[in-house]
Amino acid sequence: MSLRQFPEGFLWGAATAAYQIEGAWNEDGKGESIWDRFTHRQHTILNGDNGDVACNHYHKMPEDVALMQALGLQTYRFSLSWPRILPEGRGQVNPKGLEFYDRLVDHLLEANIIPNITLNHWDLPQTLQELGGWVNRDSIDWFADYARVVFEKLGDRVPLWTTHNEPAVLAFMGYAFGNFAPGIADYSQAYQTSHHLLVAHGKAVQIFREGNYNGEIGIVLSVNHYQPASDRQADIAACERMYQTSTALFADPLFKGEYPEPLFNWIGCHATKIETGDLELISTPIDFVGINYYFTLNVAFAQWGGLFKLNSTQVSAPGWGQTDMGWGVNPPGLTSVLLDFKNHYGNPKLYITEGGCALQDTPNYEGFVEDWGRINYLRSHFIAAHDAIADGVNLHGYYVWTLMDNFEWAHGFYPRFGLVRVEFDSGKRIPKQSAWWYREVMNRNGVEE
């Protein structure tokens, strides 16, 4: 077997999100988030699960950082709970909430783990949702004020920042389809939310620049690979619409200062309302883009396919099958999306900020998980990332999703994505076989094929 060596300085880590692991949903002055409200409604989450306790990371944080250090993580990407810091979403800061993240950063630095903070991983304060949430243009200033509070507290020690995680998922799953918090089904609200998220991103980047903080700032996008189901023109056009609404809707204004005109012509009255100066603010230069890749889709024209007149099916590379989420496994799709950013967006600095799979993860009699399926999945995607680097992609790191089994949004606790098994009744953490394998990858800065 040969070793695929990654460039010197390539960062290896794992990622989590606040609502999915922290718990302590109403402790120490924390306010209610839209996910607290959403999960406490009936018939929103599989098995009626919620994140009230989740992995109890809020109380187990030092133990979790020690585990990260034992596993050899070089960097850790995590998000902040906005309502833990600002219970009302704005105004009075909750000292205990901010102090929790202050301690977390210090613990990480003491363990020689680079913190990578995401400001918004979907858990908007419920008080702001009641004022219209991200559809309200005031959300731009709410987010900017929140970002300023956090930068002033942690900006001296945190070298990597992202504004939003997967704005497309927040906008469309939360505001168009209603499957995620806040549970609204309105395409017009979804497109307006997308725009306000981007303007808020630009304003936060400007605040970061004005503060002269010694770090880098970017945004994390969900970027799947799309391919037409056939060479029929109708399928090709449907695939392009899918790409534009999920990737170009965000990347074009960030890097080109404009929205994809064909998409806006197609959606008509649902198109976002743009004010003077918005696109200039959105396209404020950033230091990197985070890419979250999970699957590839075949896209076909569908006469009864709703607004976009399309349907899509999961694609699995030969011999791979599907994950426990029913997602096809297609490692070459990762190479394709990375090359797309190189070829269409000026080859920006990239990190893979999420990549991983949910498997059954059946433990043996000692509770240990020999998850060779996850090892094979990660190995193949690391090689796909290496292929992209060999083709000139400006890729600087890879964060595995996720550090530990957690609350997986509408799917509750059923899917297990973690490198570490969590026994949710007791809170016990058990590193899986993949965690120890990943430690060797990090130590060697390379993967065998």
Side-chain angles (χ1 to χ4, degrees):
M1 298 180 75
S2 61
L3 183 70
R4 292 281 197 110
Q5 198 79 43
F6 282 76
E8 184 178 354
F10 193 85
L11 288 179
W12 297 98
T16 64
Y19 186 77
Q20 293 182 268
I21 67 167
E22 284 183 2
W25 78 279
N26 61 354
E27 295 183 35
D28 289 342
K30 178 187 171 294
E32 185 183 22
S33 78
I34 58 174
W35 272 95
D36 294 319
R37 179 67 61 90
F38 187 70
T39 59
H40 291 159
R41 286 166 44 189
Q42 286 189 329
H43 313 304
T44 59
I45 308 298
L46 184 66
N47 299 322
D49 294 337
N50 60 55
D52 290 2
V53 177
C55 303
N56 200 20
H57 173 71
Y58 185 76
H59 296 291
K60 289 179 169 286
M61 180 268 290
E63 171 189 335
D64 288 339
V65 174
L67 179 58
M68 295 178 215
Q69 186 178 30
L71 295 178
L73 291 192
Q74 299 169 1
T75 179
Y76 173 54
R77 176 178 171 246
F78 61 99
S79 73
L80 309 181
S81 168
W82 185 343
R84 195 179 296 285
I85 294 169
L86 292 165
E88 300 299 318
R90 52 187 178 163
Q92 187 65 39
V93 173
N94 175 27
K96 288 185 178 180
L98 198 53
E99 192 267 339
F100 169 73
Y101 297 112
D102 192 46
R103 288 188 292 113
L104 171 55
V105 168
D106 283 345
H107 276 280
L108 290 169
L109 293 175
E110 289 167 5
N112 293 315
I113 298 171
I114 297 170
N116 182 338
I117 288 181
T118 299
L119 294 172
N120 171 34
H121 200 131
W122 310 345
D123 49 353
L124 182 76
Q126 179 63 29
T127 53
L128 299 184
Q129 183 60 41
E130 291 167 3
L131 297 174
W134 288 107
V135 182
N136 186 337
R137 189 172 173 88
D138 289 344
S139 61
I140 297 166
D141 291 327
W142 300 336
F143 183 71
D145 291 342
Y146 157 58
R148 185 178 287 107
V149 167
V150 174
F151 292 153
E152 289 176 355
K153 183 67 174 180
L154 304 175
D156 61 329
R157 285 162 290 154
V158 176
L160 293 171
W161 295 86
T162 55
T163 52
H164 303 300
N165 178 78
E166 298 183 341
V169 175
L170 170 54
F172 287 92
M173 295 293 283
Y175 285 87
F177 311 141
N179 297 330
F180 282 10
I184 294 169
D186 183 327
Y187 270 99
S188 294
Q189 289 195 41
Y191 280 105
Q192 199 60 48
T193 289
S194 298
H195 181 64
H196 289 163
L197 285 167
L198 287 171
V199 180
H201 153 83
K203 195 158 188 177
V205 172
Q206 285 196 346
I207 292 169
F208 187 81
R209 301 289 185 224
E210 291 165 0
N212 292 314
Y213 298 106
N214 186 26
E216 297 184 344
I217 190 165
I219 190 170
V220 168
L221 303 179
S222 53
V223 188
N224 299 314
H225 179 50
Y226 304 105
Q227 54 193 40
S230 77
D231 58 3
R232 293 192 311 144
Q233 186 56 42
D235 290 347
I236 293 170
C239 185
E240 181 61 21
R241 288 194 297 276
M242 187 76 155
Y243 172 83
Q244 287 180 356
T245 200
S246 61
T247 300
L249 179 65
F250 300 92
D252 277 17
L254 285 165
F255 290 101
K256 300 178 180 180
E258 61 186 17
Y259 282 111
E261 185 176 354
L263 175 66
F264 274 34
N265 290 339
W266 181 270
I267 62 178
C269 65
H270 295 291
T272 187
K273 298 176 179 64
I274 304 170
E275 294 192 7
T276 301
D278 283 358
L279 289 167
E280 289 79 6
L281 196 55
I282 293 169
S283 58
T284 301
I286 53 179
D287 300 305
F288 65 89
V289 176
I291 300 294
N292 293 356
Y293 169 80
Y294 286 101
F295 46 76
T296 293
L297 295 171
N298 271 348
V299 182
F301 174 79
Q303 181 64 42
W304 308 109
L307 177 64
F308 294 99
K309 295 288 190 290
L310 55 82
N311 62 30
S312 58
T313 55
Q314 295 275 346
V315 176
S316 294
W320 278 104
Q322 296 182 329
T323 72
D324 209 30
M325 295 284 281
W327 296 348
V329 180
N330 192 54
L334 174 58
T335 308
S336 295
V337 300
L338 295 173
L339 285 170
D340 179 66
F341 268 76
K342 171 181 178 285
N343 296 329
H344 291 103
Y345 297 110
N347 202 18
K349 183 176 184 178
L350 301 177
Y351 292 96
I352 297 169
T353 37
E354 286 185 27
C357 65
L359 300 175
Q360 285 290 331
D361 287 354
T362 304
N364 64 17
Y365 68 96
E366 295 178 325
F368 184 70
V369 175
E370 295 183 358
D371 55 339
W372 292 104
R374 179 170 290 105
I375 291 171
N376 290 333
Y377 179 101
L378 291 175
R379 178 190 289 114
S380 67
H381 284 76
F382 294 166
I383 290 170
H386 192 275
D387 287 342
I389 293 171
D391 283 337
V393 169
N394 190 18
L395 183 65
H396 287 254
Y398 201 118
Y399 292 81
V400 172
W401 184 265
T402 176
L403 173 65
M404 65 182 86
D405 296 336
N406 57 30
F407 176 85
E408 191 54 46
W409 308 114
H411 294 276
F413 292 107
Y414 169 73
R416 291 184 176 268
F417 277 87
L419 294 166
V420 175
R421 180 177 175 83
V422 176
E423 301 289 355
F424 293 109
D425 291 340
S426 66
K428 184 178 181 181
R429 278 81 159 128
I430 305 171
K432 303 173 188 177
Q433 187 71 35
S434 59
W436 303 118
W437 173 85
Y438 187 38
R439 185 173 67 172
E440 290 305 306
V441 171
M442 293 183 281
N443 285 340
R444 301 173 74 179
N445 192 31
V447 60
E448 289 184 341
E449 61 173 337

